[in-house]
Amino acid sequence: MNEALPDLAFEEALVYLLTALKEVKATVEQILDNFIKLLPVFMQKQLLRTA
C-alpha cells in the first residue's frame, strides 16, 4: 500500500526545497498583488509608502 520513497541526496533535497519555495513565493506575491488591487486607493498609497 505505502511504498517507501528512495533516499534523496542532500543536494537533491535542497534543490527540490528551493524550487518549491520559489513557486510558493510567486504564488503568494500574486495573491497579495491581487488583494492590494482590490483595496481602496488611499490604502494602496499607504502600503506603497511603507514598502
Side-chain angles (χ1 to χ4, degrees):
M1 183 175 236
N2 289 331
E3 296 181 28
L5 296 173
D7 289 339
L8 296 176
F10 175 76
E11 295 84 6
E12 291 175 307
L14 186 58
V15 168
Y16 177 80
L17 176 62
L18 291 174
T19 302
L21 288 174
K22 286 179 185 177
E23 292 173 7
V24 168
K25 180 184 176 207
T27 302
V28 169
E29 287 176 347
Q30 184 65 43
I31 290 169
L32 288 175
D33 287 344
N34 290 339
F35 173 75
I36 290 171
K37 288 177 186 175
L38 295 173
L39 292 174
V41 175
F42 77 93
M43 288 182 161
Q44 292 179 25
K45 288 180 181 177
Q46 284 297 113
L47 287 172
L48 290 174
R49 196 176 301 162
T50 60

